[in-house]
Amino acid sequence: DAGVTQSPTHLIKTRGQQVTLRCSPKSGHDTVSWYQQALGQGPQFIFQYYEEEERQRGNFPDRFSGHQFPNYSSELNVNALLLGDSALYLCASSAAEYYGYTFGSGTRLTVV
Amino acid sequence: GENVEQHPSTLSVQEGDSAVIKCTYSDSASNYFPWYKQELGKGPQLIIDIRSNVGEKKDQRIAVTLNKTAKHFSLHITETQPEDSAVYFCAAKENRGSTLGRLYFGRGTQLTVWP
């Protein structure tokens, strides 16, 4: 049973560019959340998608946007990249009647 | 919003000894408290969790205790092994229903187990 799958694993972008990260949730899961983890820090909540709608958003600017597809997979888009956006981006999925979240291995984004 | 504090930030123990990591939270409505282990280059892996209606939970060498009154919870690892070396994160989930709700993470504890 595949867990949470994220792509790509690593990415290098230039300031001002745009990036799209992808996530396939664990089989049976219908909710996807995105987290940003800076080096040496705990993950910070970006937003959560359920039934193809953004249900909750953390303290991140509008440059961060997302989407959930009918098959529950999700994308995270970041526009106008800043150096400070360099981080590990984690996708976590969960399912109804289940409190726990399963995390993917993340996408390491480096902005130069 | 919720605020989760985690201590210590680093912990070194001898193989076979016990390790304890402590976390406090601020929102008394938080209802789910997972612990994650993160190895270098990998995503967080759930190792044990506890819901707010339970005081203690154990899974082999790992246990978690929750004190709702004091708003703190702890991870206990007994008979530590070198492969336990990793960064451990505690988290608290806000109460918005079973699936909807964000996790608030502590800053992590780097555990090193010396052979």
Side-chain angles (χ1 to χ4, degrees):
Chain A
D1 177 25
V4 177
T5 304
Q6 291 188 245
S7 63
T9 55
H10 295 84
L11 204 53
I12 300 176
K13 289 288 189 178
T14 304
R15 277 180 300 175
Q17 285 189 316
Q18 178 264 343
V19 68
T20 297
L21 311 181
R22 295 176 175 82
C23 171
S24 292
K26 183 177 179 178
S27 178
H29 286 187
D30 57 6
T31 303
V32 172
S33 303
W34 287 91
Y35 288 79
Q36 180 195 66
Q37 185 177 24
L39 206 59
Q41 304 292 321
Q44 297 291 318
F45 176 79
I46 302 175
F47 42 53
Q48 184 175 65
Y49 278 85
Y50 174 65
E51 294 184 332
E52 301 179 50
E53 290 186 11
E54 182 183 295
R55 297 292 177 158
Q56 193 178 9
R57 187 179 186 91
N59 189 25
F60 280 82
D62 292 344
R63 298 186 298 109
F64 289 77
S65 63
H67 190 78
Q68 185 179 34
F69 299 93
N71 67 352
Y72 309 120
S73 67
S74 177
E75 288 183 349
L76 164 65
N77 301 292
V78 187
N79 295 322
L81 284 166
L82 304 174
L83 295 179
D85 294 331
S86 296
L88 180 67
Y89 288 85
L90 296 163
C91 172
S93 70
S94 59
E97 294 91 47
Y98 177 60
Y99 278 74
Y101 288 89
T102 301
F103 281 83
S105 294
T107 294
R108 173 68 64 186
L109 172 65
T110 302
V111 182
V112 298
Chain B
E2 173 70 279
N3 182 44
V4 177
E5 301 280 347
Q6 181 172 348
H7 299 280
S9 56
T10 61
L11 181 59
S12 292
V13 299
Q14 201 75 29
E15 182 178 2
D17 288 349
S18 296
V20 180
I21 303 171
K22 298 181 178 182
C23 288
T24 61
Y25 61 100
S26 61
D27 185 357
S28 57
S30 292
N31 61 356
Y32 173 71
F33 306 91
W35 286 89
Y36 288 91
K37 175 183 181 182
Q38 188 172 27
E39 297 174 309
L40 205 59
K42 297 185 179 181
Q45 177 190 6
L46 179 69
I47 57 171
I48 196 166
D49 56 8
I50 193 167
R51 291 175 59 171
S52 57
N53 58 350
V54 176
E56 184 174 358
K57 183 177 178 180
K58 188 175 181 180
D59 182 5
Q60 298 182 0
R61 297 186 297 111
I62 296 174
V64 57
T65 58
L66 172 65
N67 184 326
K68 286 176 57 179
T69 302
K71 289 187 282 188
H72 68 70
F73 56 114
S74 301
L75 177 70
H76 305 254
I77 306 175
T78 59
E79 301 172 21
T80 53
Q81 302 165 1
E83 49 266 40
D84 293 330
S85 297
V87 179
Y88 290 80
F89 290 97
C90 64
K93 183 173 180 180
E94 64 178 355
N95 190 351
R96 286 170 59 94
S98 63
T99 56
L100 300 182
R102 63 199 287 184
L103 290 174
Y104 291 85
F105 283 84
R107 293 171 66 93
T109 296
Q110 173 68 60
L111 173 64
T112 303
V113 180
W114 300 101

PDB file of all heavy atoms in Angstrom, chain B residues 6 22 37 39 47 64 77 94 96 108 113:
ATOM      1  N   GLN B   6       8.299  22.605  23.164  1.00  0.00           N
ATOM      2  CA  GLN B   6       8.912  21.287  23.278  1.00  0.00           C
ATOM      3  C   GLN B   6      10.293  21.416  23.887  1.00  0.00           C
ATOM      4  O   GLN B   6      11.082  22.286  23.511  1.00  0.00           O
ATOM      5  CB  GLN B   6       9.013  20.651  21.880  1.00  0.00           C
ATOM      6  CG  GLN B   6       9.607  19.261  21.855  1.00  0.00           C
ATOM      7  CD  GLN B   6       9.515  18.596  20.481  1.00  0.00           C
ATOM      8  OE1 GLN B   6       8.806  19.078  19.593  1.00  0.00           O
ATOM      9  NE2 GLN B   6      10.213  17.496  20.315  1.00  0.00           N
ATOM     10  N   LYS B  22       9.342  16.375  26.533  1.00  0.00           N
ATOM     11  CA  LYS B  22       8.139  16.963  27.099  1.00  0.00           C
ATOM     12  C   LYS B  22       7.615  18.098  26.215  1.00  0.00           C
ATOM     13  O   LYS B  22       8.397  18.864  25.654  1.00  0.00           O
ATOM     14  CB  LYS B  22       8.416  17.477  28.500  1.00  0.00           C
ATOM     15  CG  LYS B  22       8.829  16.372  29.467  1.00  0.00           C
ATOM     16  CD  LYS B  22       9.067  16.898  30.868  1.00  0.00           C
ATOM     17  CE  LYS B  22       9.442  15.756  31.817  1.00  0.00           C
ATOM     18  NZ  LYS B  22       9.646  16.230  33.205  1.00  0.00           N
ATOM     19  N   LYS B  37       8.587  11.004  14.314  1.00  0.00           N
ATOM     20  CA  LYS B  37      10.030  10.817  14.222  1.00  0.00           C
ATOM     21  C   LYS B  37      10.444  11.198  12.805  1.00  0.00           C
ATOM     22  O   LYS B  37       9.838  10.739  11.834  1.00  0.00           O
ATOM     23  CB  LYS B  37      10.382   9.348  14.489  1.00  0.00           C
ATOM     24  CG  LYS B  37      11.847   8.990  14.303  1.00  0.00           C
ATOM     25  CD  LYS B  37      12.054   7.481  14.521  1.00  0.00           C
ATOM     26  CE  LYS B  37      13.505   7.072  14.364  1.00  0.00           C
ATOM     27  NZ  LYS B  37      13.679   5.596  14.534  1.00  0.00           N
ATOM     28  N   GLU B  39      13.706  11.336  10.292  1.00  0.00           N
ATOM     29  CA  GLU B  39      15.096  11.031   9.978  1.00  0.00           C
ATOM     30  C   GLU B  39      15.557  11.934   8.845  1.00  0.00           C
ATOM     31  O   GLU B  39      14.743  12.478   8.085  1.00  0.00           O
ATOM     32  CB  GLU B  39      15.239   9.552   9.628  1.00  0.00           C
ATOM     33  CG  GLU B  39      14.877   8.647  10.807  1.00  0.00           C
ATOM     34  CD  GLU B  39      14.876   7.171  10.467  1.00  0.00           C
ATOM     35  OE1 GLU B  39      14.221   6.810   9.468  1.00  0.00           O
ATOM     36  OE2 GLU B  39      15.533   6.398  11.176  1.00  0.00           O
ATOM     37  N   ILE B  47       4.827   7.894  15.248  1.00  0.00           N
ATOM     38  CA  ILE B  47       5.295   6.775  16.073  1.00  0.00           C
ATOM     39  C   ILE B  47       4.306   6.405  17.168  1.00  0.00           C
ATOM     40  O   ILE B  47       4.214   5.243  17.564  1.00  0.00           O
ATOM     41  CB  ILE B  47       6.681   7.050  16.689  1.00  0.00           C
ATOM     42  CG1 ILE B  47       6.684   8.336  17.525  1.00  0.00           C
ATOM     43  CG2 ILE B  47       7.751   7.091  15.603  1.00  0.00           C
ATOM     44  CD1 ILE B  47       7.963   8.535  18.323  1.00  0.00           C
ATOM     45  N   VAL B  64       3.315   7.366  25.665  1.00  0.00           N
ATOM     46  CA  VAL B  64       2.960   8.782  25.730  1.00  0.00           C
ATOM     47  C   VAL B  64       2.007   8.978  26.899  1.00  0.00           C
ATOM     48  O   VAL B  64       1.125   8.143  27.140  1.00  0.00           O
ATOM     49  CB  VAL B  64       2.347   9.286  24.411  1.00  0.00           C
ATOM     50  CG1 VAL B  64       1.126   8.476  24.016  1.00  0.00           C
ATOM     51  CG2 VAL B  64       2.000  10.759  24.503  1.00  0.00           C
ATOM     52  N   ILE B  77      10.751   6.884  25.801  1.00  0.00           N
ATOM     53  CA  ILE B  77      11.343   5.784  25.042  1.00  0.00           C
ATOM     54  C   ILE B  77      12.249   5.010  25.989  1.00  0.00           C
ATOM     55  O   ILE B  77      13.177   5.579  26.575  1.00  0.00           O
ATOM     56  CB  ILE B  77      12.162   6.292  23.831  1.00  0.00           C
ATOM     57  CG1 ILE B  77      11.324   7.197  22.943  1.00  0.00           C
ATOM     58  CG2 ILE B  77      12.704   5.105  23.026  1.00  0.00           C
ATOM     59  CD1 ILE B  77      12.104   7.835  21.797  1.00  0.00           C
ATOM     60  N   GLU B  94      -5.917  21.043  16.611  1.00  0.00           N
ATOM     61  CA  GLU B  94      -7.063  21.840  17.036  1.00  0.00           C
ATOM     62  C   GLU B  94      -8.339  21.036  16.840  1.00  0.00           C
ATOM     63  O   GLU B  94      -8.427  20.167  15.978  1.00  0.00           O
ATOM     64  CB  GLU B  94      -7.110  23.140  16.252  1.00  0.00           C
ATOM     65  CG  GLU B  94      -7.330  22.942  14.771  1.00  0.00           C
ATOM     66  CD  GLU B  94      -7.417  24.244  14.001  1.00  0.00           C
ATOM     67  OE1 GLU B  94      -7.402  25.326  14.624  1.00  0.00           O
ATOM     68  OE2 GLU B  94      -7.506  24.190  12.770  1.00  0.00           O
ATOM     69  N   ARG B  96     -11.541  20.668  15.346  1.00  0.00           N
ATOM     70  CA  ARG B  96     -12.467  21.133  14.326  1.00  0.00           C
ATOM     71  C   ARG B  96     -13.180  19.951  13.666  1.00  0.00           C
ATOM     72  O   ARG B  96     -13.689  20.050  12.574  1.00  0.00           O
ATOM     73  CB  ARG B  96     -11.721  21.924  13.246  1.00  0.00           C
ATOM     74  CG  ARG B  96     -11.289  23.306  13.662  1.00  0.00           C
ATOM     75  CD  ARG B  96     -10.358  23.906  12.623  1.00  0.00           C
ATOM     76  NE  ARG B  96     -10.955  23.995  11.305  1.00  0.00           N
ATOM     77  CZ  ARG B  96     -11.580  25.084  10.839  1.00  0.00           C
ATOM     78  NH1 ARG B  96     -11.718  26.143  11.611  1.00  0.00           N
ATOM     79  NH2 ARG B  96     -12.068  25.097   9.615  1.00  0.00           N
ATOM     80  N   GLY B 108      10.931  20.568  17.894  1.00  0.00           N
ATOM     81  CA  GLY B 108      11.702  19.346  17.668  1.00  0.00           C
ATOM     82  C   GLY B 108      12.768  19.093  18.715  1.00  0.00           C
ATOM     83  O   GLY B 108      13.292  20.035  19.345  1.00  0.00           O
ATOM     84  N   VAL B 113      21.477   8.609  20.377  1.00  0.00           N
ATOM     85  CA  VAL B 113      21.696   7.449  21.237  1.00  0.00           C
ATOM     86  C   VAL B 113      23.088   6.907  20.920  1.00  0.00           C
ATOM     87  O   VAL B 113      23.361   6.454  19.809  1.00  0.00           O
ATOM     88  CB  VAL B 113      20.642   6.358  21.003  1.00  0.00           C
ATOM     89  CG1 VAL B 113      20.911   5.173  21.928  1.00  0.00           C
ATOM     90  CG2 VAL B 113      19.236   6.913  21.219  1.00  0.00           C
TER      91      VAL B 113
END
